[in-house]
Amino acid sequence: MSEAKQLPSREEVAEASTWDLTKIFEDDAAFELSFKEIQEELKKAASFKGTLKNGGSAFLEALEYILDVSRKLEKLYVYSHLKNDQDTANTTYQALYARSSSLLAQASEAISWFEPELLTLSDETIWGYFDEEPGLELYRHFVKQSVDNRAHVLPAEQEALLAGAGEIFGSPGNTFAVLNNADLEFPTIEGEEGEKIQLSHGVYGQLLESTDRRVREDAFKGMYSVYEQFRNTFASTLSTNVKGHNYKAKVRKYDSAREAALSNNHIPESVYDTLVDVVNKNLPLLHRYMDLRKRLLKVEELHMYDVYTPLLGEAPISYTYEQAVDKAIEALAPMGEEYLTVVKEAFATRWIDVIENKGKRSGAYSSGAYDTLPYILMNWHDTLDQLFTLVHEMGHSVHSYFTRKNQPYVYGDYSIFLAEIASTTNENILTEHLLETESDPRVRAYVLNHYLDGFKGTVFRQTQFAEFEHFMHVEEAKGTPLTSEFLSDSYGELNKKYYGEAITDDPEIHFEWARIPHFYYNYYVFQYSTGFSAASALAGKILNEGPEALTNYLNYLKAGNSDYPIEVMKKAGVDMTQATYIEDAMNIFETRLNELEALVEELEK
């Protein structure tokens, strides 16, 4: 038996395969110098408190101080978290990251007075400052965002009480995280070769993709046996979390917790309702896909543990990292030369940390700050999935790059509502490229299956979560106790509605609500579904509607927070207050499902 492949230590990874963090700070000594400078800067925060009433110049000075401190802190934080993530066992960078996080918390407290004090001023006073001080004009939209929420900001004393209770309101989510990630002990099952495997969150996801059905079933039942055991505890944490959302919405004079959550980005509640309505109307498409899965897996009963295993066996195509770089550049050609120039720079100048090494954080992400590059973390394996992950994260990084190059710091970021659109547009462009260039029926079928599974997981599944999240908040507001029995029965019915008659109603899936961290995120999860749908629409426009559509898309990438997210997307050509963009995405899903069904018939002949 050959020895298991050992991961290299961080020091053994070739420099060319690592990100170049010297472009943030030349070395740790430069980081320490900046750290001390910010500590000194923070001592000035109190001197600005109470000065906003002193006229336009004083208002501008306080505002620019706060933004300057925030900008320097972000750079410090990004350096420390990237250093920590490249080797989480390195105690030097553990400490650096902890100190940066602590300084960030101190700064947040030191400048928390600004918005409440701003809103003690009348609209007449605030906009009068803009007339008397030309330097304020740049910040008009930034200030308007706070003023627009004036009706929901409490008097300073009450805001202080709510802020002081922040840790208490966050405790249900923290308790869930500790219990779910640290304290739960999952059973051991036998793997495909009879080896003992300790279940964990990461391992569970891998085992559900196993081609051995016995392994999938054992993993599924083993995992949910633990959630069933602790169902009352999880119901308590989740119920308390929902109560907290409803309480804060009520005291801030919102009609609902959902209205309060969406108001942060000025998203109309109709966007949420439209998503749920359109997805529900199109559930027969998901049911058809489940029917196809049942037929291809050749099972009498299709269970929830059969939903993630590949339909077509092992992938008939794979890429080394070098091949993936070439393929990404080739696939993203429709994005135009301006876009491709940034992509090529990312590959050539070490924006990407490629290789998996001992202690490195798992998964993949794009991260950075206004004054850093938009770095990408990967843990590369030679698979088609990794190619999709690479272009996904590149979408985030190019979005960040264009935003920061085209916006001042105050607007040099973008909301979560917009974030997933850029990354998923790239995935859609790649899918289309592979379908145009690959003629092998097995490869085409695999790419189609990959797309349909991604759509299932991002649009259908996340909308299912969004529907349940809103259901819980509405029921709690009506006075319904969110007991484990009520949650399980309700979730089981919703799951049956989404997956249809082809799926057996496994009792274990009724407890899925207990293991979803997004239910603690306060109306976050719907944005995955809206983002994927908008990306599908944008990719279609870029590929089919010519230069104007591409220009509109690039303008979205450059807009940052200079306008409300809904308005940014309208300028890009997608009105997310309407149903059309989701319906268009459903049409693409149906077209590709049709093709996969036809290909499968050909392959079975």
Side-chain angles (χ1 to χ4, degrees), residues 431-442:
T431 297
E432 193 63 38
H433 176 75
L434 292 172
L435 291 174
E436 283 182 1
T437 56
E438 297 290 347
S439 57
D440 183 332
R442 290 187 68 247

Side-chain angles (χ1 to χ4, degrees), residues 24-43:
I24 308 178
F25 289 111
E26 185 176 348
D27 52 28
D28 292 352
F31 168 92
E32 293 295 347
L33 182 62
S34 178
F35 192 97
K36 290 175 183 174
E37 288 174 351
I38 295 171
Q39 283 181 313
E40 288 301 310
E41 282 289 307
L42 281 177
K43 293 177 182 177

Side-chain angles (χ1 to χ4, degrees), residues 345-364:
E345 182 183 343
F347 287 134
T349 59
R350 294 177 54 205
W351 293 16
I352 306 169
D353 205 79
V354 181
I355 306 297
E356 185 178 12
N357 58 254
K358 290 176 184 174
K360 186 175 178 180
R361 175 176 163 163
S362 62

